[in-house]
Amino acid sequence: MKSVAMGNKGSLARVLLCTVAPFAMFQTASTATAQDAIEDDTDLTVVVTASRTEESISSIPGTVQVIGQDEIKGAVDASGDVTSALARLVPGFSLDNETLSGGGQNFRGRSVQILVNGAPRTTALRKLSRALSLIDPNSIERIEVINGASAVYGDGATGGVINIITKTAEEEGWSGEVSTTISASERDVKDSLNVLTSVNAGFRQENTHAHVSGQFKNTGDMFDGSGTQISEDPITGQGGGSGIEQYNLSGQLGYEGDAFDVTIYANLVKMEQEIKYQTDYTTDPVSIDPSKPYLGLPPLEDSKNINATFNFYEVGGLFDAKIELYYNDAEKRAAFVPLSAANPVAYLPDVNESQTVLFAKQAGVRTTFDAELNSIYEGLALTWGSDYSYNDISQTVPDGRDIISPMKQHGFAQFAQVKAPIGEMFEVRGGVRHERFFLRMDSFVRPNALVPNPFYTNPGDPLTATIGEHTFTAADKDYSATVFNLGGVAHLNDKLDVFAGFSQGFSVPDVGSFTRRAMPLNPFVDGVVDVSDVAPEAVIVNNFELGARYNTQALSLSASAFYSTSDKGVNFDDATQTVSQAEERIWGAEFNIRGQLNEAWGAGAVLAYKEGVWDENKDGDLDEDLPNNRIGSPFKATVFSDYNFGNGFNLQGEAVFGSGRSGKEGAKGDLKKLKPTFTMNASVGYNSDYGDFRFGATNIFDTKQQNTTATALRDREVQAEGRRFFLQYTKTF
């Protein structure tokens, strides 16, 4: 039952829409030529591992997408950030926020789980996600995306799963690649200069292979379409996209045998952001304040990750087995934000160092067993297994004092999945997973702090007040759930599939944010807080989906509609600095089409819509719109095309649109109005024996517009970057 290893199948054949003719010279995400697309896609059977076992996309009753190397490379030409590729190529994923953080970005309005080679990179129990911005895009072979609620990898994937598969050595002997991209804004070429250099080297000899990747990234200042410098920390402590110096080193060793395979992957990342000036959050949009130098420590990421996968085939002639082990150790320092409306708490005694550091350790083991039961029923297959996870989370100020309850969590899960054909046309599957988490929240003393004076009424009153030193008692809390999935696929012919499915996802919310903000009845005196009274409830999301897939060598099309519900949805209100849970509903539709007009010309489009409501005042009626930091742009579209001249030259480009969202009134006030955005990107490439060259520009019309995702996160307007030119050189050996 050993599967054939998957190659680069992400560059599915592209299709021309009648509506994209005006954009014939634009392309969103593929540096492959149109002819390459036809030649590379003679086999339209694609296997994915994001579902725990390798299987054809055509058999999965849900929306699945595989993005290949060429598409990824084209979509990150100027930024060097995987987030920008996902924002353009994945319908349900939020628009790019152009920072080092994933703040404000979600999947179908819910949480997303990020995996690298099947191992988690999303921090559990306390969210400070930089997973995507820290990954070297030139080290990626493909990205597998499963849309909708999923429990296959445990806690966190209520909106979707993104599994990043890194490169391995494919050819016998030595192989390698060197890539350098420089980019700048014409506003200030020197200070805006970005440099991104990546080196990949691989070696394969018979069944043994090794691969190593290295990246250096240095980013300069960012300017909006009017030439104004964009804040270095626009979304309140999350860090920005400028002033970043990042080093990324990863390596992979593997052995492939007839009876078993083993792969070991390790990754080291070190990142610091130099911030020169404080951000003024009172202006609209937020802005640089050159009169106030930045006083804090630089935002930092220091992470170490290792995972190993063992595959055993035909164990006892009965089943295949997979064992996955992983360990992550990360230190994440946020940016310093002075006491203000943007940051209403500054810990004493030195408020100028009142920034926070998150320490996160994760470890786990996953086992998966896959058996064909043809003796019982032809085509019947059973997959089962169990998981164990461990998380150790703490968050402190730089001198080491805790500001959340230090947490340790042990998680256990068991699952089983059955799939079977019904006649020649239908396939059905169903499964169950039981999760149980044992969370220990240790006691701690949260330091006293300055806050804005709530009793301020006239100029004679003090502007600040001191809240007490609060003691949090230790507590144990267990989370458990049993979640299900059921779905089917109808193969109407060898090109068209129709699917319908129900799936559930399970997530333990950001427990740390609850303990950080919890207060006793009188917060201005020393007090005691029972942690067990403030810990949130687990979230279970029900996802219903109906869709279709159509594939030929010249055309790939998928369309789906979804509806998801949760009785304990989590929302954060930046104005009141509170976190709440309430019933909510989200619905939407997605459309993805790619193909070829002829051997030289390819095009396509990615369209998505989502909207949601919740019971904000808990009166039993779901009559308030979900906050903008959950929905953002309800409608987004990417239209793209490429043209290959056949002499080494090719043109590529895209148009990206994000809708606005009106400031509808909710129970706690008005939502900030989000404005529509429209961005055009284009590039020209030349492929030669001496290497591949590409020159282009993002936001080629230098449009001054809102950064929708960053604006929605904190309800403060942030501007998107203006025009940026880039030059890229790649040499493959």
Side-chain angles (χ1 to χ4, degrees):
M1 289 182 284
K2 182 175 180 178
S3 301
V4 177
M6 175 183 171
N8 177 17
K9 303 293 186 181
S11 298
L12 297 178
R14 299 174 175 80
V15 66
L16 177 68
L17 288 173
C18 62
T19 57
V20 306
F23 307 104
M25 66 185 211
F26 301 116
Q27 186 266 0
T28 183
S30 177
T31 57
T33 65
Q35 180 64 42
D36 289 338
I38 293 176
E39 292 175 351
D40 289 346
D41 291 309
T42 55
D43 180 6
L44 295 176
T45 301
V46 180
V47 293
V48 297
T49 57
S51 58
R52 293 290 289 261
T53 59
E54 295 183 345
E55 54 189 320
S56 169
I57 287 178
S58 64
S59 69
I60 298 176
T63 302
V64 180
Q65 186 175 358
V66 177
I67 305 170
Q69 295 179 45
D70 293 330
E71 292 180 289
I72 298 164
K73 189 174 182 180
V76 300
D77 276 340
S79 67
D81 195 328
V82 178
T83 307
S84 64
L86 295 173
R88 300 175 191 179
L89 302 178
V90 179
F93 196 67
S94 299
L95 292 170
D96 190 3
N97 69 15
E98 298 181 348
T99 74
L100 62 87
S101 166
Q105 292 185 302
N106 56 50
F107 206 148
R108 290 185 173 180
R110 302 193 183 278
S111 64
V112 57
Q113 189 175 48
I114 308 297
L115 309 171
V116 175
N117 297 324
R121 289 293 178 89
T122 311
T123 306
L125 301 174
R126 187 71 181 104
K127 309 303 181 187
L128 185 56
S129 177
R130 298 171 181 162
L132 293 173
S133 67
L134 299 174
I135 296 170
D136 175 10
N138 286 305
S139 71
I140 298 174
E141 176 184 300
R142 68 186 187 274
I143 301 176
E144 303 168 344
V145 183
I146 292 185
N147 297 28
S150 174
V152 294
Y153 276 95
D155 174 32
T158 58
V161 176
I162 297 174
N163 189 22
I164 295 171
I165 307 299
T166 59
K167 291 179 180 178
T168 59
E170 299 292 340
E171 301 177 359
E172 285 288 321
W174 289 97
S175 60
E177 180 185 85
V178 177
S179 178
T180 298
T181 303
I182 58 173
S183 68
S185 166
E186 76 267 31
R187 310 290 185 185
D188 187 331
V189 174
K190 179 181 178 182
D191 287 345
S192 67
L193 188 67
N194 288 2
V195 178
L196 174 64
T197 300
S198 296
V199 178
N200 286 273
F203 178 78
R204 176 177 287 272
Q205 186 174 29
E206 296 181 347
N207 295 337
T208 304
H209 59 88
H211 192 274
V212 62
S213 299
Q215 178 203 51
F216 168 74
K217 181 178 181 179
N218 189 287
T219 66
D221 296 336
M222 299 169 64
F223 297 88
D224 67 21
S226 67
T228 302
Q229 186 177 342
I230 296 173
S231 166
E232 297 159 300
D233 181 30
I235 49 178
T236 319
Q238 300 288 319
S242 59
I244 295 171
E245 185 173 291
Q246 179 176 310
Y247 301 88
N248 195 321
L249 179 65
S250 59
Q252 184 170 274
L253 294 172
Y255 172 80
E256 300 171 356
D258 293 332
F260 73 95
D261 298 339
V262 57
T263 303
I264 300 173
Y265 172 81
N267 173 234
L268 302 174
V269 179
K270 182 66 178 290
M271 182 280 300
E272 283 194 0
Q273 184 194 11
E274 179 187 1
I275 298 179
K276 302 172 187 175
Y277 304 110
Q278 294 293 150
T279 297
D280 187 347
Y281 297 102
T282 65
T283 60
D284 195 12
V286 300
S287 61
I288 292 283
D289 187 349
S291 68
K292 295 181 179 178
Y294 180 74
L295 299 175
L297 298 170
L300 173 144
E301 180 88 20
D302 186 357
S303 62
K304 310 167 187 67
N305 314 283
I306 186 169
N307 59 276
T309 301
F310 303 86
N311 288 301
F312 301 91
Y313 303 104
E314 298 286 355
V315 179
L318 300 175
F319 57 84
D320 293 347
K322 176 189 288 186
I323 301 174
E324 300 169 278
L325 301 96
Y326 63 87
Y327 175 77
N328 304 325
D329 186 352
E331 177 183 351
K332 304 171 181 283
R333 186 163 62 218
F336 164 67
V337 180
L339 181 67
S340 62
N343 177 29
V345 178
Y347 298 104
L348 297 171
D350 188 353
V351 296
N352 285 332
E353 294 186 3
S354 194
Q355 58 190 129
T356 67
V357 186
L358 179 69
F359 299 92
K361 294 181 180 180
Q362 296 175 291
V365 56
R366 296 188 174 114
T367 60
T368 306
F369 305 93
D370 195 11
E372 296 179 356
L373 305 178
N374 294 316
S375 60
I376 299 175
Y377 179 84
E378 184 65 29
L380 179 66
L382 171 65
T383 301
W384 74 99
S386 61
D387 299 341
Y388 166 75
S389 63
Y390 171 76
N391 287 275
D392 184 343
I393 304 292
S394 62
Q395 188 174 8
T396 72
V397 291
D399 65 9
R401 291 174 296 160
D402 291 313
I403 60 166
I404 69 169
S405 175
M407 295 174 285
K408 294 180 176 63
Q409 178 174 272
H410 298 270
F412 301 89
Q414 301 80 38
F415 72 94
Q417 183 86 17
V418 177
K419 58 182 178 180
I422 300 179
E424 295 184 357
M425 181 178 290
F426 300 99
E427 288 183 78
V428 296
R429 70 174 63 204
V432 60
R433 179 183 176 96
H434 179 72
E435 302 261 11
R436 191 165 187 88
F437 295 96
F438 300 93
L439 174 62
R440 173 67 177 179
M441 296 175 284
D442 291 338
S443 62
F444 76 106
V445 178
R446 189 174 59 197
N448 55 10
L450 285 180
V451 298
N453 184 3
F455 308 109
Y456 179 86
T457 57
N458 61 70
D461 294 333
L463 295 176
T464 60
T466 303
I467 60 174
E469 192 175 72
H470 302 140
T471 300
F472 286 71
T473 59
D476 295 317
K477 188 172 181 63
D478 297 348
Y479 294 97
S480 65
T482 301
V483 292
F484 301 89
N485 69 83
L486 179 65
V489 180
H491 303 290
L492 302 185
N493 54 48
D494 59 354
K495 300 179 180 66
L496 177 63
D497 299 328
V498 175
F499 61 84
F502 166 75
S503 59
Q504 292 182 306
F506 176 81
S507 179
V508 177
D510 192 337
V511 178
S513 68
F514 283 80
T515 62
R516 181 176 181 181
R517 294 172 174 87
M519 296 286 181
L521 292 177
N522 184 354
F524 296 99
V525 299
D526 294 354
V528 177
V529 179
D530 188 343
V531 172
S532 61
D533 290 340
V534 300
E537 298 300 316
V539 177
I540 294 179
V541 171
N542 305 303
N543 184 76
F544 304 85
E545 188 164 5
L546 176 67
R549 291 182 287 261
Y550 180 81
N551 285 292
T552 68
Q553 287 198 6
L555 173 64
S556 173
L557 183 152
S558 66
S560 65
F562 68 90
Y563 179 75
S564 67
T565 69
S566 176
D567 292 334
K568 296 291 183 181
V570 180
N571 286 287
F572 173 69
D573 187 333
D574 186 71
T576 61
Q577 292 286 300
T578 57
V579 185
S580 59
Q581 292 187 273
E583 185 179 1
E584 61 186 31
R585 302 285 185 269
I586 299 177
W587 60 91
E590 299 169 354
F591 185 73
N592 199 328
I593 185 167
R594 300 155 185 256
Q596 282 307 127
L597 180 64
N598 55 42
E599 291 187 357
W601 189 4
V606 175
L607 311 175
Y609 171 79
K610 65 177 181 289
E611 190 53 271
V613 294
W614 67 314
D615 184 11
E616 184 179 10
N617 55 14
K618 300 184 180 180
D619 62 356
D621 296 323
L622 280 74
D623 52 6
E624 292 91 21
D625 292 302
L626 277 170
N628 288 336
N629 56 22
R630 291 287 304 281
I631 297 299
S633 294
F635 175 75
K636 76 169 190 176
T638 302
V639 180
F640 54 90
S641 184
D642 64 83
Y643 192 87
N644 182 359
F645 291 93
N647 58 0
F649 284 96
N650 57 84
L651 289 174
Q652 304 172 352
E654 66 182 354
V656 182
F657 172 78
S659 70
R661 195 168 188 241
S662 61
K664 300 175 183 178
E665 185 177 353
K668 296 181 181 178
D670 293 342
L671 298 175
K672 188 177 183 66
K673 184 175 182 179
L674 300 178
K675 303 171 185 176
T677 61
F678 183 76
T679 305
M680 299 282 287
N681 309 314
S683 66
V684 57
Y686 178 69
N687 302 327
S688 73
D689 294 336
Y690 303 100
D692 299 335
F693 300 85
R694 180 154 299 281
F695 173 76
T698 56
N699 194 358
I700 57 178
F701 296 135
D702 205 20
T703 307
K704 181 182 179 181
Q705 58 189 349
Q706 194 179 77
N707 181 328
T708 305
T709 303
T711 298
L713 178 64
R714 301 297 189 189
D715 207 34
R716 297 183 186 89
E717 184 161 351
V718 178
Q719 288 291 290
E721 188 174 26
R723 182 167 49 234
R724 176 174 285 271
F725 294 97
F726 69 88
L727 177 64
Q728 182 183 80
Y729 172 75
T730 303
K731 177 62 177 175
T732 302
F733 302 96

